[in-house]
Amino acid sequence: MNPLTLSLVLTTMISGTLIVMTSSHWFMIWVGFEMNMLAIIPLLTKEHNPRSTEAATKYFLTQATASMLLMMAAITNLLYTGHWSIMKLINPTASIMMTMALTMKLGLSPFHFWVPEVTQGIPLMSGLILLTWQKLAPLSVLYMIMPLINMNILLIMSLMSIAIGGWGGLNQTQLRKIMAYSSIAHMGWMLAVLTYNPTMTLLNLYLYIPMTVTTFMLLMINSTTTTTSLSHTYNKLPLITTLILITMLSLGGLPPLTGFLPKWAIIQEMTKNSSIIMPTLMALLALLNLYFYTRITYTTSLTMFPTANNMKIKWQFKNSKQTMSLPLMITISTLTLPLAPMMMILD
Amino acid sequence: MLKIIIPTVMLIPLTWLSKSNMLWINSTMYSLMISMTCLPLMNQFCDNSLNLSMLFFSDSLSTPLLMLTTWLLPLMIIASQHHMPKEPPTRKKLYITMMILLQIFLIMTFSATELIMFYILFEATLVPTLIMITRWGGQTERLNAGIYFLFYTLAGSLPLLVALIYTQTTLGSLNLLLAQYWIDSSTHIWGDSLLWLAYMMAFMVKMPLYGLHLWLPKAHVEAPIAGSMVLAAILLKLGGYGMLRITMMLSPTINFMAYPFMMLSLWGMVMTSSICLRQTDLKSLIAYSSVSHMALVIMAILIQSPWSFMGATALMIAHGLTSSLLFCLANSNYERTHSRTMILARGLQMILPLMAAWWLLASLTNLALPPSINLIGELFVTVSMFSWSNFSIILLGINIIITALYTLYMLIMTQRGKYTYHIHNIKPSFTRENTLMSLHLVPLLLLMISPKIILGTTY
């Protein structure tokens, strides 16, 4: 893309999110969301093929609907309370509609259908931005209106998301779809604890973003989007196979890796609030996620995948792709469980 | 405790920086030295005051298990030497690193004070074991075996996490040294049964209990020798250790919740022993015998009497050494015939007489011959089970007989009789293998003299 265009688009996208995060007037939040959405469309259609067009169209339709719902909720609130301020979203109808709108933007169940299809149709870098940066704005609004959200709706949506994120990813071999279902499940975890202790939502977000960035970086090094081509990594960059192993296990939430920390903290907060069946169910459903991550590690690092035997052994050149801060990201996303007591600074 | 953990962690740079021809020697020697530093912990005081720090402690229950863990690492490294020579040095070092990583997690697990730290490290032991089974196992079934192993254990232990956090929020702290003062005798609600189940299922799956034991034959059979050794000797004992620690917090719910598991263990003990009589696969036979012995341990822990705790602890240590020894012997057969079928390597006494001596001693300890510590364990368990219920002696007696039957079956099949004609050109026993067997047997036989160190907390 033309560097000028790219910088314009990225600036608009970033400032859109920042406007959402820093305003207290519902109109400005809507403006921020619209700026963000319109700016990311060119990023989604970077490759000019019909699949990206379809993905961008689906993204546009769902996000526009969600923004309109958001506006409707704000105006309903205005009708009943006379306020445009975020903190006064007191009317229950408005609050429920706002929750629906924001979870539609996040890709939470039952509004999750667009996430796998959009993530699949776009290049890896755009997929990364979609799954990480785009979650910041809706989550910050949800964090701000947290006391006014109906807990039951959010809990039902979270449990459904974790279940769908787990079961949906089981039949996939396309890595982008796997990451999409992983994002659905992680969003479920994040929103389950929102009404109990929103600090844990932020903790999960702050750890989910490095883990996802690490995974996408590892995929971009190999430029692979399918499990089959990822299994050829041992031929080109054997060390990356080990890194894929520990990153995947961390995403799945296995101790002693970092990915266990958000799950542990969320279970702790929910148990402190005397909700015990819900975290048990959530933890058991997270095992489904772990299954397909383990399957990826099986094909990549723990076995020599059958189709890879037909490939000639390659010369192992020095890696010439840019891997900015990959070691740092890997360390953050796998080894920071002992730093768990430090997470108190988030309070 | 740091004097054991830090040297074990430093074994990893030792592995990666050794020259290729000194790799095995270095790691074996230094891990043996580390196991020597663990010995002074055996000097236990009777008021459980060996509390070393806020994080680590070692009492008379965890010390024998710690000793077993540190003793087993050099043995695993010795046993792995033969099937690794053609691998590039990086992969050999990775394998040894996995073993050392597992060792670190196990040492920290057995010496943990806080139950949540115990939980995290309990789960953490799964990752290196999974990598060892899946990456270095022999057959295609190892993938399935790894998945079964990982998911059975995780599905059992996630409710344990929730239960631990719930107890922490209600009781205030999960420090094990304080937990012994919290026996709660107030009226109980049915939710207590669920809490008990949540606590126990994790350890039941790990032990394994008879109905949940499907992962064990798969994992043991498909694992490489070091994996089999550590699985049989230590990882099963993690379940027993956890149960022994947690039951002191859980009475008296255990009095009525224990019945289904007692029935499963009693019946399962007899069933798995009987299956051993029909096995053609040598490793599978030893795996099922592990299930049978561990069923005895489960029963002993569930009836909660002082004698039975002593028997459970003694049986855990004795079974750890014996089972690991049997796996090493089976592996020495596997390395020669490249098959686990028992009848392919028969009549070995004629050809490898010293190895036949090790087979004999291993079989004798497996069938709990007096005065070995296996007998002490089984005897204490049998006697306390008899005092719990007179009728259980029938099933226990049947189990002892069938254990003797299949052990002698294994011994006679592999050692006696006419050897097959294809076996006369196998390599003779290496000194390394004889060292391995004797290093297993020497603690087993020496402990006969003073078994009080393995009798655990209620001695």
Side-chain angles (χ1 to χ4, degrees):
Chain A
M1 213 191 238
N2 186 358
L4 190 57
T5 321
L6 184 65
S7 57
L8 184 65
V9 158
L10 281 176
T11 318
T12 318
M13 185 182 79
I14 294 176
S15 53
T17 307
L18 288 175
I19 291 177
V20 167
M21 288 206 243
T22 57
S23 32
S24 54
H25 194 280
W26 278 118
F27 193 77
M28 291 314 290
I29 290 189
W30 177 80
V31 163
F33 273 127
E34 294 296 302
M35 275 172 68
N36 193 8
M37 169 184 68
L38 287 173
I40 206 177
I41 300 289
L43 277 179
L44 299 183
T45 54
K46 239 204 269 193
E47 294 173 8
H48 301 291
N49 53 36
R51 191 72 175 81
S52 334
T53 319
E54 177 189 341
T57 317
K58 280 182 182 156
Y59 185 72
F60 175 76
L61 284 174
T62 50
Q63 299 283 311
T65 314
S67 300
M68 281 297 109
L69 251 182
L70 192 146
M71 201 54 165
M72 169 95 170
I75 294 182
T76 314
N77 191 38
L78 179 68
L79 179 66
Y80 283 100
T81 62
H83 284 283
W84 277 104
S85 162
I86 296 185
M87 294 306 180
K88 309 269 194 219
L89 191 68
I90 300 178
N91 187 19
T93 318
S95 157
I96 292 178
M97 267 199 287
M98 184 63 71
T99 317
M100 302 265 164
L102 292 166
T103 51
M104 212 188 288
K105 281 197 176 288
L106 276 177
L108 210 64
S109 211
F111 310 115
H112 67 278
F113 293 96
W114 60 272
V115 185
E117 299 173 23
V118 171
T119 321
Q120 179 62 26
I122 55 183
L124 275 172
M125 190 58 162
S126 314
L128 171 62
I129 297 178
L130 182 77
L131 288 183
T132 52
W133 183 262
Q134 296 296 94
K135 311 289 181 198
L136 287 177
L139 271 172
S140 59
V141 179
L142 277 167
Y143 182 83
M144 288 194 275
I145 63 172
M146 178 270 292
L148 309 158
I149 298 180
N150 186 347
M151 187 191 336
N152 295 322
I153 290 188
L154 207 56
L155 281 179
I156 294 177
M157 284 206 276
S158 314
L159 190 60
M160 270 170 56
S161 303
I162 300 176
I164 288 182
W167 267 303
L170 280 183
N171 201 22
Q172 305 296 336
T173 54
Q174 296 286 331
L175 291 169
R176 288 173 289 183
K177 279 212 172 101
I178 286 182
M179 293 312 292
Y181 281 106
S182 146
S183 143
I184 297 174
H186 279 274
M187 287 297 133
W189 274 91
M190 283 187 228
L191 291 185
V193 79
L194 185 69
T195 48
Y196 293 111
N197 186 351
T199 315
M200 298 305 150
T201 307
L202 291 182
L203 171 69
N204 199 349
L205 184 68
Y206 295 155
L207 288 173
Y208 165 73
I209 289 183
M211 290 195 289
T212 314
V213 167
T214 314
T215 316
F216 270 98
M217 272 188 183
L218 289 168
L219 296 182
M220 283 194 280
I221 288 184
N222 300 318
S223 298
T224 82
T225 56
T226 64
T227 314
T228 320
S229 56
L230 192 64
S231 70
H232 295 160
T233 319
Y234 86 95
N235 237 344
K236 293 181 273 189
L237 299 158
L239 183 56
I240 303 277
T241 61
T242 320
L243 301 175
I244 291 179
L245 170 72
I246 47 180
T247 313
M248 285 290 150
L249 291 180
S250 180
L251 258 181
L254 266 188
L257 303 166
T258 315
F260 178 63
L261 179 60
K263 296 196 164 54
W264 176 18
I266 289 176
I267 293 180
Q268 186 159 11
E269 286 304 317
M270 293 182 84
T271 318
K272 274 188 200 165
N273 283 296
S274 302
S275 148
I276 303 193
I277 301 182
M278 180 78 179
T280 319
L281 267 177
M282 282 163 57
L284 287 172
L285 287 172
L287 283 180
L288 292 165
N289 266 348
L290 181 64
Y291 178 69
F292 54 79
Y293 298 137
T294 321
R295 197 168 51 194
I296 294 180
T297 67
Y298 272 14
T299 60
T300 314
S301 38
L302 290 177
T303 63
M304 294 247 284
F305 204 51
T307 55
N309 288 330
N310 295 330
M311 215 167 110
K312 289 192 203 136
I313 305 292
K314 287 196 163 182
W315 283 113
Q316 295 195 357
F317 292 114
K318 249 177 104 63
N319 180 28
S320 60
K321 285 216 163 110
Q322 263 192 333
T323 56
M324 321 187 282
S325 68
L326 184 62
L328 174 66
M329 297 306 276
I330 290 183
T331 316
I332 295 179
S333 61
T334 53
L335 292 174
T336 54
L337 188 66
L339 291 180
M342 237 177 64
M343 300 300 164
M344 289 172 46
I345 59 175
L346 284 175
D347 272 324
Chain B
M1 200 49 68
L2 273 182
K3 67 175 178 282
I4 305 174
I5 296 178
I6 299 240
T8 317
V9 172
M10 295 312 281
L11 276 178
I12 298 183
L14 171 77
T15 318
W16 284 95
L17 296 173
S18 297
K19 289 196 298 193
S20 311
N21 54 353
M22 291 291 287
L23 176 63
W24 298 102
I25 303 174
N26 273 345
S27 42
T28 316
M29 187 170 72
Y30 284 102
S31 45
L32 259 176
M33 292 209 289
I34 292 175
S35 69
M36 296 298 145
T37 62
C38 192
L39 276 177
L41 284 175
M42 293 281 187
N43 185 17
Q44 294 284 331
F45 307 107
C46 57
D47 53 351
N48 274 347
S49 64
L50 204 59
N51 175 24
L52 300 165
S53 80
M54 294 286 289
L55 293 172
F56 298 121
F57 83 123
S58 71
D59 74 347
S60 44
L61 171 59
S62 54
T63 309
L65 288 165
L66 259 174
M67 199 54 233
L68 183 64
T69 315
T70 48
W71 184 245
L72 220 71
L73 179 62
L75 267 52
M76 290 199 295
I77 299 180
I78 294 177
S80 311
Q81 241 175 305
H82 187 258
H83 70 90
M84 301 285 278
K86 294 199 188 59
E87 304 231 1
T90 314
R91 269 191 233 151
K92 282 194 256 201
K93 291 177 183 174
L94 260 177
Y95 191 57
I96 299 182
T97 312
M98 284 298 126
M99 287 196 269
I100 297 173
L101 206 57
L102 185 58
Q103 174 85 334
I104 299 171
F105 290 145
L106 281 168
I107 293 178
M108 296 197 345
T109 315
F110 281 126
S111 52
T113 329
E114 181 80 30
L115 275 176
I116 299 237
M117 179 153 125
F118 169 76
Y119 174 80
I120 293 183
L121 295 163
F122 176 79
E123 297 291 302
T125 58
L126 291 176
V127 176
T129 319
L130 174 75
I131 296 179
M132 273 167 63
I133 295 178
T134 323
R135 176 71 179 79
W136 279 281
Q139 285 76 30
T140 49
E141 289 84 15
R142 71 188 194 274
L143 303 175
N144 215 11
I147 293 276
Y148 263 70
F149 168 64
L150 186 67
F151 282 88
Y152 261 74
T153 318
L154 279 177
S157 63
L158 282 169
L160 173 66
L161 177 63
V162 180
L164 279 174
I165 293 180
Y166 173 74
T167 314
Q168 189 180 31
T169 53
T170 53
L171 280 180
S173 156
L174 281 176
N175 200 328
L176 267 174
L177 300 168
L178 297 178
Q180 51 186 318
Y181 298 115
W182 280 329
I183 300 177
D184 179 24
S185 314
S186 56
T187 54
H188 290 280
I189 53 178
W190 68 271
D192 279 344
S193 309
L194 278 180
L195 186 67
W196 188 92
L197 265 180
Y199 270 117
M200 285 301 190
M201 286 323 283
F203 303 119
M204 295 289 185
V205 170
K206 201 83 167 139
M207 287 294 292
L209 182 67
Y210 174 60
L212 303 164
H213 69 288
L214 280 181
W215 63 270
L216 186 121
K218 288 191 203 297
H220 273 105
V221 164
E222 301 302 331
I225 177 62
S228 288
M229 284 167 75
V230 77
L231 264 174
I234 313 281
L235 289 179
L236 269 54
K237 316 307 183 264
L238 271 179
Y241 174 74
M243 268 168 71
L244 278 168
R245 288 280 181 221
I246 288 199
T247 47
M248 72 173 106
M249 289 194 326
L250 289 180
S251 48
T253 323
I254 201 175
N255 293 337
F256 54 90
M257 282 303 291
Y259 285 108
F261 299 100
M262 292 294 292
M263 290 193 296
L264 271 176
S265 300
L266 273 169
W267 189 238
M269 170 179 81
V270 173
M271 279 290 107
T272 44
S273 305
S274 317
I275 285 267
C276 283
L277 284 170
R278 296 291 293 168
Q279 288 294 325
T280 54
D281 183 340
L282 189 53
K283 275 178 96 162
S284 188
L285 195 153
I286 306 172
Y288 276 108
S289 92
S290 285
V291 179
S292 169
H293 286 270
M294 285 297 115
L296 274 170
V297 175
I298 294 180
M299 287 191 291
I301 298 176
L302 285 176
I303 58 182
Q304 288 190 301
S305 82
W307 268 56
S308 71
F309 275 6
M310 281 199 269
T313 320
L315 195 52
M316 284 203 287
I317 305 292
H319 173 259
L321 285 168
T322 313
S323 189
S324 173
L325 171 60
L326 282 170
F327 272 115
C328 290
L329 288 167
N331 187 53
S332 72
N333 270 1
Y334 179 75
E335 283 170 2
R336 287 171 173 76
T337 57
H338 286 288
S339 159
R340 293 193 300 261
T341 318
M342 227 184 335
I343 55 176
L344 281 185
R346 323 194 278 267
L348 290 176
Q349 187 166 8
M350 280 290 122
I351 308 177
L352 304 172
L354 184 54
M355 199 56 80
W358 305 133
W359 271 101
L360 177 69
L361 283 173
S363 305
L364 290 180
T365 51
N366 196 22
L367 53 91
L369 195 77
S372 67
I373 48 180
N374 300 63
L375 176 81
I376 293 177
E378 281 197 27
L379 197 62
F380 280 21
V381 172
T382 312
V383 168
S384 45
M385 284 289 292
F386 183 69
S387 83
W388 176 74
S389 152
N390 290 3
F391 294 107
S392 60
I393 195 85
I394 304 176
L395 285 168
L396 281 166
I398 293 180
N399 182 49
I400 294 184
I401 295 178
I402 304 186
T403 307
L405 279 176
Y406 70 71
T407 315
L408 286 175
Y409 167 65
M410 179 175 67
L411 178 69
I412 293 175
M413 189 62 93
T414 51
Q415 304 303 117
R416 311 279 167 160
K418 179 111 173 73
Y419 52 84
T420 54
Y421 62 89
H422 63 258
I423 219 164
H424 66 271
N425 57 352
I426 56 174
K427 300 198 176 86
S429 310
F430 298 107
T431 313
R432 176 187 57 87
E433 290 175 345
N434 288 329
T435 318
L436 183 62
M437 310 308 165
S438 52
L439 280 178
H440 272 107
L441 269 172
V442 160
L444 208 50
L445 300 175
L446 281 179
L447 276 171
M448 274 193 245
I449 305 175
S450 167
K452 79 172 185 201
I453 48 179
I454 57 168
L455 285 179
T457 46
T458 49
Y459 175 71

